[in-house]
Every structure is written in C-alpha cells, then in structure tokens.
Amino acid sequence: MPDTERKFPGWRGTTILSVRKNGKVVLAGDGQVSIGDTVVKATARKVRPLSSGKVITGFAGATADAFALFERLETKLEQYPDQLARACVELAKDWRTDRYMRRLEAMLIVADGKETFTLTGAGDVLEPEDGVTAIGSGGNYALSAARALLDYEEDAEVIARKAMKIASEICVYSNGNLTVETLG
C-alpha cells in the first residue's frame, strides 16, 4: 500500500496528461479531488506555468507537497536556465536524497518547448518516447486514449481534451473540469 494511502486513506485525485505534437505541447489536468467515494472539490487547478511561462507543469498527489516541489523546481530552473533536463535531474536528486523532500508525496509532469519529463520521488526523470505521458488516478485512461488519438488528430490540444474527456467518463476519480496550458 503506498504511503499516501496509509496516511490519507481513500484520498484520490487527479488526472494529468501531456501531449506533444507538431511543435506544440499541452498539459491538461482535471479538477477533481476525492476522499473515498466523495468529491470534495471539482475545480482544483493542478496545471500551471513556471519560469515566466516558458515551462508548464502539472501534479498528482498531495497539494502542499506539489507546491513545495513547484518552488524547488522554479529554483532549479533559475539555476539552470533553458536546461529543463538538468533542472529536472537536479530536482530529482534532491527529492531522493534530502530528508525533508523524501517525504513529499506527489508526481510531476514538466514540459518546455522542446522536452517533457515525468518526475517521481523515487528519483525517476522519464521522457516519453511518443510525446505523451500521464499521471494520477485516471492517468492510464488518458494516456491510452491520447495514444490512440495520435494517428487521427493533428492538434495536441484536441488530442489532450478528447483523451481527458474519455478518462473522465471511465475513471470515477476524474472529471471534465479541465485546466489546460499550452506552449508552442
């Protein structure tokens, strides 16, 4: 059982999807936060721009932890401007080795105009091969839908919105109240 489930039994909350196609990257996040079978918030904002709008990011997991990670990521982006991969690797190293940060329970998707990464507290910095990645309770549904749509839609935002709609219709922990950020 994941630590999050032990500390906050029944907390569920998010679907975050990133789609990169034809020079455009889109991050979409649903707005639902649930405790057990109860929706406690339907309009949470889990996707946001960083680094003066040059980077977009979304989170799954504990909100306060995600905001702490956003602050740390912003610092790394200032230290390594225009080097998203380096900033993400440095954040992941800190996240894995720092006593305080090891307890942060969230995952991030981070993207700029050239690269997309999924970051975890286990030290993972993963770059999707096909330009599509997702995290959260409904992440696998959104990921599957987006991959299926890649060959049939040309616009990354159209793919992201359709995939998120599909995920929200399948996953009870996801909804259709989207926050969408785009670069390119």
Side-chain angles (χ1 to χ4, degrees):
M1 176 182 289
D3 283 343
T4 305
E5 286 295 311
R6 275 193 288 271
K7 291 179 186 174
F8 305 103
W11 278 83
R12 301 263 185 224
T14 229
T15 303
I16 304 294
L17 172 68
S18 177
V19 178
R20 180 179 297 277
K21 188 168 184 176
N22 295 332
K24 184 176 180 182
V25 63
V26 176
L27 230 64
D30 77 319
Q32 184 165 310
V33 177
S34 306
I35 300 176
D37 59 2
T38 304
V39 176
V40 293
K41 186 166 185 169
T43 58
R45 188 170 182 270
K46 306 170 209 167
V47 173
R48 61 194 61 236
L50 293 178
S51 195
S52 302
K54 291 189 246 176
V55 173
I56 51 179
T57 188
F59 74 89
T63 305
D65 292 356
F67 287 125
L69 289 166
F70 285 164
E71 288 176 14
R72 299 278 183 127
L73 178 59
E74 189 82 61
T75 300
K76 297 298 182 187
L77 291 166
E78 289 169 5
Q79 285 179 330
Y80 308 104
D82 301 319
Q83 298 179 60
L84 184 63
R86 174 94 186 264
C88 288
V89 167
E90 294 298 324
L91 176 65
K93 285 194 312 192
D94 289 351
W95 194 353
R96 182 149 172 83
T97 59
D98 181 271
R99 175 181 275 171
Y100 163 75
M101 288 185 69
R102 269 194 307 245
R103 293 190 171 104
L104 298 180
E105 296 176 356
M107 290 180 73
L108 300 177
I109 295 177
V110 183
D112 68 4
K114 298 176 282 188
E115 301 171 299
T116 302
F117 299 101
T118 300
L119 282 72
T120 74
D124 299 313
V125 179
L126 307 168
E127 185 173 19
E129 290 181 14
D130 58 3
V132 180
T133 191
I135 56 175
S137 302
N140 286 336
Y141 302 113
L143 178 66
S144 297
R147 284 185 176 166
L149 290 165
L150 274 176
D151 290 338
Y152 302 101
E153 295 288 348
E154 291 304 313
D155 185 77
E157 186 170 343
V158 170
I159 294 169
R161 287 183 181 278
K162 285 183 176 183
M164 290 295 286
K165 182 177 186 318
I166 291 167
S168 74
E169 292 169 351
I170 297 170
C171 179
V172 297
Y173 300 110
S174 300
N175 70 20
N177 294 335
L178 299 183
T179 302
V180 178
E181 294 287 342
T182 304
L183 293 174

